[in-house]
Amino acid sequence: MSIRIALDNPPEFYTNLDFISGRVILVLHRAETIGNVIVKLEGESRTALTVPNPGDRDEYYRPRAPGIGIGGDIVTESHKILYRVFQVFPDDGVALPFQAGLHEFKFNFKMPLNNICHDEKAMSALLGIGGLGGSGFRTMDGTKQLMLQHVRATLPPSLTGFPQEAEIRYYIKVTIQRPGFFKENWRYQLGFKFLPIEPPRPPKTSQEAFARRPFTFRPRGPALSKKSSFFGGRSPAAGSPDDPNQMPPNIEMSARLPFPSIITCNEPLPLRLIARKLAPTTTREQQVYLTGIEVMLIGYTQVRVHNLENTEVSHFPIISVPQISPPIALFNSPTDPVDTEFEVPKTLWANRRLPNTVAPSFRTCNLARRYAIQILLTLNWGLPATSPRQIPQSITLPLKLSNVEVFSGITPPPELLNSIATADGTGRITVGNGPTQRPPQLPQRPPNAQPQPQPQQGPQPAGAQDPLYPPQLGTLASTMYEDAPPSYDEAMADRLAGPAARPAYSGVTAENAPSTMPAGKS
């Protein structure tokens, strides 16, 4: 016996609104009786932290990732952010014998927009068993999810890189049930990468977010000549680079991004570096040069397990040039007036794209990712060739842009953008109130219906309908057992297909590798 899952034209990664179709291929070496063939589309966000030891010192008294040499109890939290079930066999709930050979079962799913674990009604409907009649099959027990804290958000991207602490995985799981007390069910799962579509972008404006820092070099001291008399050296000429009375340059450096600060996966940074003169200069020897630059994208991953929180910091180098050759003069002429601005050429980073391991900013129930950009500039007052007897002064200037969002670069379909508004800050797509957007109509009620007190009765017959609970919502007795109705954005998304243009994304290097998360009760 062998089982495998073959996907139809699998892309490098899937995204929202994509159709995931494929086949379950079962090879039997002898005749077997098959009860149910269940295919599940699942996504799980798992976190784990250690409870700090009360005897630790204050600087170590914080939750940390489980690992060697770290004591304390391990607590875990798991959220089923995606859960869909498809019964591919049988249709009538009757187990049938299968002869030896190759058998195929087709399945088809569609990736939704938002996570499911926040939906109390949908979780309450999953009581651990599904199916009809006596051919029930095992499902997730959704009541466990009701005891956790949830947020409603767009499905997060696949994420690993934090062993034993955090991971987000998506996979397709198949279970083949074999009737009988002593027969074990057959299981197989296949992981895949996921990258969500980006929320609607705000309109472009001329505003910019910036980080700026002024600085002044130290005044130069006198430099002795090689030939000096017994009573002292020759004094440097006025206006020369060794003149101690020469005014040191005073400059302000600023890093600017379009506001709101949004960068895109696998795209260059829309960064501008501006130098502004704060004090007058008159000679070429007062020129300041940019001799080195480093741009680093810093990711902050916030891991939460119940009331424990920990933040992991990741660094993604974008550009690192410790020695620019030739150095870049910050102003065209030393006689430029005060407040003159000079923009550093973008050729240094114009062709440097974000690494394909950078995940977009996201927020889910127990994990969140945000970003900042740190820039280190190396500036020199003078060059060795212009002042052989004076070592040029050098300064490293840090600039940091804290609130930076990373978008996936997968644009939502135009039809979806026309029916929904901007993101509301929680990372989810919500319905807007624009003039061209209409909310879904409420169901019509009977015109002559009069509110009357109803006596307590038993469950209504299957054919009866309560006017307060129309068929699409279910009856009053079945609201806790049926799936919740889709939201407006999900209803619109059901009619659309996934985007075609996609950037390169690595994210999870081995989506089918064994999980590194510790076993424990969430």
Side-chain angles (χ1 to χ4, degrees):
M1 179 276 305
S2 66
I3 308 174
R4 66 185 181 93
I5 297 175
L7 299 177
D8 298 334
N9 301 320
E12 181 182 359
F13 59 85
Y14 288 94
T15 186
N16 304 98
L17 311 181
D18 272 349
F19 287 97
I20 304 179
S21 60
R23 298 162 295 150
V24 177
I25 301 176
L26 173 64
V27 178
L28 296 177
H29 302 292
R30 61 185 180 185
E32 291 281 356
T33 300
I34 304 298
N36 292 316
V37 179
I38 310 299
V39 181
K40 301 177 183 178
L41 177 65
E42 298 188 24
E44 192 171 13
S45 175
R46 302 177 62 189
T47 54
L49 290 175
T50 56
V51 179
N53 191 342
D56 290 344
R57 293 179 296 175
D58 293 340
E59 58 265 29
Y60 293 104
Y61 187 77
R62 62 178 181 86
R64 286 174 287 177
I68 300 177
I70 299 179
D73 297 332
I74 299 176
V75 291
T76 63
E77 185 172 338
S78 177
H79 288 258
K80 284 289 185 180
I81 53 180
L82 174 62
Y83 192 82
R84 293 196 170 184
V85 181
F86 185 57
Q87 183 176 359
V88 297
F89 177 85
D91 296 333
D92 52 2
V94 178
L96 296 176
F98 281 72
Q99 299 299 321
L102 186 145
H103 306 273
E104 293 185 355
F105 307 91
K106 295 183 178 181
F107 63 87
N108 188 14
F109 292 100
K110 186 171 184 178
M111 294 295 295
L113 281 174
N114 301 326
N115 60 338
I116 190 178
C117 56
H118 77 280
D119 194 333
E120 297 181 358
K121 292 184 178 180
M123 292 294 100
S124 301
L126 297 171
L127 301 178
I129 188 171
L132 300 174
S135 62
F137 53 86
R138 182 181 178 185
T139 64
M140 175 187 70
D141 187 1
T143 57
K144 295 181 179 180
Q145 296 288 314
L146 300 178
M147 298 181 290
L148 303 177
Q149 180 181 354
H150 302 283
V151 296
R152 183 174 186 261
T154 307
L155 287 174
S158 301
L159 184 71
T160 56
F162 305 98
Q164 303 186 37
E165 184 178 9
E167 68 177 17
I168 299 176
R169 288 180 180 265
Y170 294 88
Y171 47 88
I172 298 173
K173 182 188 299 183
V174 58
T175 302
I176 299 179
Q177 293 185 341
R178 304 164 63 200
F181 290 102
F182 302 102
K183 291 186 178 181
E184 183 181 4
N185 294 335
W186 296 331
R187 292 180 174 85
Y188 182 82
Q189 74 177 36
L190 177 69
F192 63 90
K193 301 176 187 177
F194 177 80
L195 187 67
I197 61 175
E198 62 183 26
R201 291 179 180 256
K204 294 183 178 180
T205 63
S206 59
Q207 298 179 346
E208 290 182 316
F210 61 89
R212 60 188 178 188
R213 186 185 294 269
F215 67 96
T216 305
F217 286 97
R218 297 190 306 271
R220 286 175 174 172
L224 299 177
S225 85
K226 294 182 180 179
K227 295 182 180 180
S228 59
S229 64
F230 178 77
F231 298 99
R234 294 181 298 178
S235 60
S240 68
D242 300 329
D243 186 2
N245 298 322
Q246 191 180 45
M247 179 179 294
N250 189 357
I251 297 177
E252 177 188 83
M253 295 297 299
S254 62
R256 304 182 185 182
L257 286 176
F259 181 81
S261 302
I262 298 175
I263 60 179
T264 308
C265 290
N266 203 39
E267 292 291 336
L269 287 179
L271 177 67
R272 295 205 308 150
L273 294 179
I274 306 294
R276 186 167 70 93
K277 182 179 290 188
L278 301 180
T281 56
T282 56
T283 62
R284 184 175 58 88
E285 288 76 14
Q286 293 176 289
Q287 185 65 271
V288 178
Y289 298 88
L290 177 65
T291 60
I293 182 174
E294 178 181 289
V295 180
M296 187 79 66
L297 181 66
I298 304 177
Y300 300 93
T301 305
Q302 298 175 346
V303 183
R304 185 186 64 82
V305 179
H306 304 298
N307 60 339
L308 302 177
E309 294 185 1
N310 184 36
T311 301
E312 295 288 345
V313 182
S314 306
H315 294 80
F316 304 93
I318 299 175
I319 177 177
S320 180
V321 184
Q323 193 69 34
I324 299 177
S325 180
I328 300 176
L330 293 186
F331 295 97
N332 297 324
S333 173
T335 59
D336 289 340
V338 177
D339 291 335
T340 299
E341 291 188 348
F342 174 82
E343 183 173 356
V344 178
K346 299 180 181 179
T347 54
L348 292 173
W349 62 86
N351 297 324
R352 301 294 184 93
R353 298 176 179 269
L354 294 186
N356 61 359
T357 55
V358 175
S361 305
F362 69 90
R363 181 193 175 197
T364 188
C365 305
N366 54 346
L367 275 172
R369 170 69 69 87
R370 60 183 179 88
Y371 288 96
I373 294 179
Q374 179 174 298
I375 305 169
L376 297 179
L377 302 176
T378 303
L379 303 169
N380 278 19
W381 176 18
L383 296 175
T386 61
S387 180
R389 292 171 296 170
Q390 193 89 335
I391 299 177
Q393 293 188 30
S394 178
I395 184 174
T396 300
L397 203 64
L399 299 173
K400 189 173 183 179
L401 297 162
S402 299
N403 299 321
V404 178
E405 286 192 81
V406 177
F407 279 16
S408 64
I410 305 177
T411 306
E415 297 83 0
L416 187 61
L417 291 176
N418 294 335
S419 60
I420 56 180
T422 58
D424 64 352
T426 62
R428 64 186 178 95
I429 300 176
T430 55
V431 181
N433 296 321
T436 60
Q437 298 165 353
R438 295 180 299 176
Q441 297 181 357
L442 295 175
Q444 296 182 357
R445 298 186 179 184
N448 297 327
Q450 299 293 335
Q452 297 179 358
Q454 298 290 338
Q456 296 183 357
Q457 299 177 356
Q460 296 182 355
Q465 296 180 2
D466 192 330
L468 295 180
Y469 292 84
Q472 66 268 25
L473 297 181
T475 61
L476 176 61
S478 63
T479 52
M480 65 177 63
Y481 301 106
E482 294 186 358
D483 291 341
S487 60
Y488 184 68
D489 52 350
E490 292 173 344
M492 293 296 300
D494 285 341
R495 309 182 225 169
L496 305 176
R502 313 187 180 197
Y505 178 65
S506 174
V508 182
T509 56
E511 59 270 19
N512 288 305
S515 175
T516 62
M517 299 299 295
K521 296 182 178 180
S522 57

